[in-house]
Amino acid sequence: MLKGIAAAPGIGIGQVHLIELKSREEETDNSQLLHGPEEIQAELARLEEALGRAKRDLEELAAKTRQEIGEAEAGIFNAHILMLTDPTFITGVKEKIQVEKKNAARAVEEVAEAIASSFAALDDDLFRERAADIRDVAARLLDNLAGGARRAREMKAGSIVVARELTPSLAANFSRNTVAGIATEIGGPTSHTAIVARALGIPAVVGVQGLMDRARDGDLAIIDGSAGVVYLNPGSEQLEEYKKKKAVLEEGRRDSKYAGPARTRDGRHIEVAANIRNAAEVKIALEYGAGGVGLFRTEFLFMNRDEPPGEEEQFLTYKEVVAAFQGRPVVVRTLDIGGDKHLPYLNMDHEENPFLGLRGLRLCLARQDLFKTQLRALFRAAGYGNLKIMFPMVTTLEEVKLARAIMEETRQELERAGVNIGRPETGIMIEVPAAALAAEVLAREVDFFSIGTNDLAQYTLAVDRGNERVAGMYDACHPAVLQLIDMTVEAAHRYGKWVGLCGELGSEIQAAPLLVGLGLDEISMSPVFIPPMKEAINKIAYHEARELVRRLLKLPGPAEVRAALSKLV
């Protein structure tokens, strides 16, 4: 088992197709110097011809990507076209041919690598992505200079693509029919590989250290793109377990009858929504039948950059997501940084225990400049659809009142300036035991609750789920956690407020009877789990699930709860 970064959700099982790009020495092995003006002119002509072919290739690839994936992904290749005409690049290549008498392939490689290395040396993921773009453009030019000889070997259907890194050109040519999963040694959640994989619905894990040393062509592999894990040559029991999980996901996806709402046998409607990180994930959420967005994790807009996103950038992102769901609810969580996430440009002091420190709403209240910028963008985007604002890591009533006061101040400023805004509902996350215990008091102050089971379980059980020495004690099905959820739902409903759940427990299909019986109005999850969750809900009677929950709450531990649930599936 190799751990990496969850880049695109889902499960892929297949044989490894190892992609090892040729070394630069192999690509440019013709290192003899040019002789005389005729050879130089001939090499310049070869370069111009290769540039023209590369431009045409990229235009076709951009058009194909725009049609099959989306406008944002096509923009990657429009940027590549611009690189082909960049004076710094083209002039540098021509000078090496004319002055240093290098052949075109060697000249392209040396200039591109010099530019790419300067970007890669910068301490910023976005600049490092630009380095990958430059190398991709250079590889395409080298391909054309070699007469198209540098082609990836044919791939069998259902392959697991394994590579040190993937160029955008390679990734954009993949399809779900050919590629069952992707794993790379280099990359992050904002890499082109991750973006394209999510858009295509191909499970992907990136940033897997040691992957290329361990993977071999033809190895059996499992990609768990939701958990960020790669299994090489798994055992028979593990393989069967993942085959069952994959079958459940694929059956639900194929069955179009679950594109509609989820409704229990006795008529209770439960909204099944998607957890997303950016606008690029909207397409796959809609494809899987999401009834809305239950959790938009906006912190990903703030990561991997040198400064926070401005109001206009945030507004355009939120507007794009809200407009795509055409009136269906989109719950946007305000900046939730701290604990396991860190933004260097915030210059936050070191904390001995960051999970109990300045994070979530606490940070927003401490950095009201960031908070008000985000609120302005959210108010503006709310004018284009059903946007709801949600505050994370709430502990006290005073925090909520202060946050709402800042919201009201921001709203009035926008109205005085004549800006078109919406009137979004305001809710809070219940992920701290104190908030669950004070749910009745908090319910009077907000429009809705959303229960974050990941942190609620972590704080209730005093278990760091990322610490392998105690992670086995972490289980959101612990009766103590379930009792907090139950009292939260009861308190909210007494005041006519709706309650969602957006933690990983919402992706557990086996837990569907428990989730229904707790009385939740909405369940939000990774998009791939939406169809099977709808199917499970449609088979459950709410009144029977309520009786089940009353029994489960009295059990001594999570093992007993899960054993009882397993008998129902």
Side-chain angles (χ1 to χ4, degrees):
M1 183 187 78
L2 300 175
K3 292 184 178 181
I5 299 167
I11 294 167
I13 302 173
Q15 288 187 316
V16 167
H17 178 94
L18 206 60
I19 294 181
E20 294 181 281
L21 299 179
K22 292 182 181 179
S23 69
R24 297 186 189 93
E25 289 74 17
E26 289 177 294
E27 292 171 341
T28 58
D29 58 1
N30 181 13
S31 57
Q32 296 296 316
L33 295 179
L34 302 172
H35 298 286
E38 288 186 3
E39 286 190 12
I40 291 173
Q41 288 304 315
E43 208 64 11
L44 289 171
R46 277 206 326 128
L47 174 65
E48 290 296 338
E49 185 180 353
L51 286 166
R53 282 202 304 266
K55 184 173 181 290
R56 290 192 295 274
D57 288 348
L58 285 167
E59 287 171 344
E60 290 176 5
L61 190 53
K64 175 177 179 286
T65 304
R66 186 178 297 107
Q67 181 179 358
E68 297 180 4
I69 304 178
E71 185 66 42
E73 292 74 20
I76 295 169
F77 302 108
N78 291 329
H80 286 197
I81 293 170
L82 291 176
M83 288 181 203
L84 289 174
T85 60
D86 181 79
T88 302
F89 177 58
I90 299 302
T91 301
V93 172
K94 288 182 177 180
E95 283 182 356
K96 282 194 174 288
I97 295 172
Q98 293 170 312
V99 178
E100 299 181 25
K101 296 182 173 55
K102 300 285 182 70
N103 64 50
R106 176 66 70 180
V108 166
E109 189 277 331
E110 289 184 2
V111 174
E113 187 55 32
I115 298 171
S117 295
S118 66
F119 278 114
L122 298 173
D123 188 22
D124 183 279
D125 286 345
L126 291 176
F127 281 115
R128 285 195 285 269
E129 282 299 321
R130 299 296 76 75
D133 285 334
I134 291 163
R135 290 179 174 127
D136 192 13
V137 170
R140 183 173 294 279
L141 266 178
L142 290 168
D143 191 8
N144 280 289
L145 284 165
R150 296 172 58 257
R151 302 295 184 191
R153 59 197 172 79
E154 191 170 340
M155 191 183 306
K156 295 178 182 178
S159 292
I160 300 293
V161 172
V162 172
R164 178 170 169 76
E165 67 179 327
L166 287 173
T167 65
S169 298
L170 280 171
N173 281 312
F174 293 163
S175 72
R176 280 200 301 253
N177 297 328
T178 306
V179 179
I182 298 170
T184 64
E185 194 165 283
I186 293 175
T190 61
S191 67
H192 291 323
T193 299
I195 292 169
V196 172
R198 285 194 294 269
L200 292 172
I202 298 174
V205 180
V206 298
V208 185
Q209 294 185 4
L211 177 65
M212 296 301 284
D213 291 333
R214 302 193 183 191
R216 297 289 180 269
D217 247 339
D219 280 354
L220 183 63
I222 298 172
I223 301 291
D224 188 334
S226 301
V229 175
V230 177
Y231 297 93
L232 296 174
N233 297 312
S236 57
E237 289 186 11
Q238 191 173 53
L239 181 61
E240 286 305 311
E241 177 189 350
Y242 268 93
K243 281 182 177 179
K244 289 177 182 177
K245 288 182 179 180
K246 186 172 184 290
V248 168
L249 293 176
E250 290 182 347
E251 182 182 352
R253 181 174 181 166
R254 285 194 301 266
D255 198 337
S256 60
K257 74 180 181 180
Y258 298 115
R263 197 176 299 277
T264 64
R265 294 203 323 265
D266 44 0
R268 179 180 175 82
H269 170 71
I270 299 174
E271 193 69 76
V272 180
N275 294 340
I276 67 170
R277 295 180 291 185
N278 50 50
E281 295 184 357
V282 167
K283 183 177 179 181
I284 191 170
L286 290 170
E287 180 182 340
Y288 279 104
V293 173
L295 174 62
F296 185 169
R297 298 182 172 104
T298 62
E299 59 269 23
F300 286 93
L301 293 175
F302 291 76
M303 296 168 69
N304 301 308
R305 55 194 302 157
D306 289 330
E307 58 184 21
E311 178 185 332
E312 192 66 18
E313 180 183 348
Q314 291 191 59
F315 160 66
L316 291 173
T317 300
Y318 305 145
K319 176 186 173 185
E320 182 180 351
V321 174
V322 168
F325 277 92
Q326 300 179 341
R328 284 169 282 180
V330 174
V331 179
V332 182
R333 182 173 70 186
T334 55
L335 180 60
D336 187 16
I337 287 293
D340 57 345
K341 307 182 190 81
H342 177 64
L343 300 180
Y345 57 78
L346 290 186
N347 298 316
M348 295 170 65
D349 293 333
H350 172 73
E351 295 180 309
E352 290 299 326
N353 194 335
F355 281 100
L356 301 180
L358 193 66
R359 60 172 298 199
L361 184 58
R362 299 172 185 177
L363 175 63
C364 288
L365 296 177
R367 287 293 305 270
Q368 293 187 23
D369 55 329
L370 290 175
F371 192 33
K372 290 192 72 172
T373 297
Q374 184 171 36
L375 289 175
R376 287 175 63 89
L378 289 169
F379 269 119
R380 291 171 60 194
Y384 294 86
N386 187 6
L387 184 147
K388 304 175 190 294
I389 297 175
M390 179 167 68
F391 304 136
M393 190 67 182
V394 168
T395 307
T396 68
L397 178 63
E398 288 70 26
E399 289 174 319
V400 178
K401 287 184 174 181
L402 179 54
R404 297 209 67 162
I406 295 169
M407 275 189 71
E408 179 61 19
E409 178 184 308
T410 305
R411 184 188 66 77
Q412 290 181 13
E413 289 173 359
L414 290 167
E415 286 188 339
R416 283 196 298 270
V419 178
N420 177 47
I421 62 173
R423 292 272 185 165
E425 286 188 1
T426 306
I428 61 172
M429 289 195 71
I430 302 293
E431 48 192 340
V432 177
L437 293 166
E440 187 156 347
V441 173
L442 293 169
R444 302 169 192 160
E445 194 69 23
V446 298
D447 300 310
F448 66 93
F449 290 153
S450 186
I451 300 168
T453 54
N454 300 353
D455 272 336
L456 183 61
Q458 179 168 247
Y459 290 130
T460 303
L461 303 175
V463 171
D464 178 0
R465 53 199 169 100
N467 183 336
E468 60 184 19
R469 299 179 67 180
V470 295
M473 300 172 65
Y474 171 88
D475 195 327
C477 279
H478 193 292
V481 179
L482 299 182
Q483 287 170 29
L484 290 174
I485 295 173
D486 186 56
M487 68 172 60
T488 297
V489 175
E490 293 274 352
H493 285 174
R494 270 197 294 274
Y495 289 89
K497 309 299 170 66
W498 65 270
V499 187
L501 181 145
C502 58
E504 289 304 310
L505 184 61
S507 295
E508 294 192 31
I509 310 306
Q510 188 182 66
L514 169 64
L515 300 172
V516 170
L518 284 167
L520 295 163
D521 304 291
E522 178 217 64
I523 308 169
S524 191
M525 63 204 70
S526 295
V528 291
F529 295 103
I530 289 173
M533 181 58 76
K534 285 185 177 181
E535 178 180 8
I537 290 171
N538 290 351
K539 294 177 179 178
I540 296 168
Y542 174 64
H543 71 281
E544 292 175 359
R546 285 296 293 165
E547 289 297 323
L548 170 69
V549 165
R550 291 191 184 96
R551 296 196 302 273
L552 295 180
L553 292 176
K554 296 176 182 178
L555 294 176
E560 290 79 6
V561 171
R562 291 191 177 277
L565 290 172
S566 68
K567 295 176 182 177
L568 302 175
V569 178

